[in-house]
Amino acid sequence: MPETTTDLAPELARLVATVTDVPAAEITPDRRFAELPGWSSHTALRLFTAVEDAFGVRLVLKTYLATESVGALAELTAAAHRSGLSR
């Protein structure tokens, strides 16, 4: 499991690209989820599940839903890993 947000970036970009159909090259840490084409609550839940599965972490749904950018999600995921919140 990657330990830092930098380590997470490539895989997280791939996951976001998969659930949004936006090319991974366009997924940057400052990219806001609300600005992604077709972003919806359904897409958010698909990404939530994908992140938990891919990184083996357990995220707090309320905290996740308040996360506005890819970079913030990387920080949240790295923090969950460091604190031992694994599945």
Side-chain angles (χ1 to χ4, degrees), residues 27-44:
I27 307 297
T28 61
D30 61 334
R31 190 75 189 255
R32 296 175 57 83
F33 294 115
E35 296 170 352
L36 293 169
W39 186 255
S40 67
S41 58
H42 181 258
T43 308

Side-chain angles (χ1 to χ4, degrees), residues 8-64:
L8 290 170
E11 179 66 11
L12 193 54
R14 187 190 68 72
L15 292 174
V16 173
T18 298
V19 300
T20 63
D21 292 327
V22 173
E26 295 179 21
I27 307 297
T28 61
D30 61 334
R31 190 75 189 255
R32 296 175 57 83
F33 294 115
E35 296 170 352
L36 293 169
W39 186 255
S40 67
S41 58
H42 181 258
T43 308
L45 291 176
R46 287 179 52 219
L47 180 60
F48 176 80
T49 303
V51 169
E52 285 195 333
D53 290 347
F55 297 112
V57 296
R58 185 163 200 102
L59 302 175
V60 176
L61 181 59
K62 185 175 180 178
T63 305
Y64 165 78

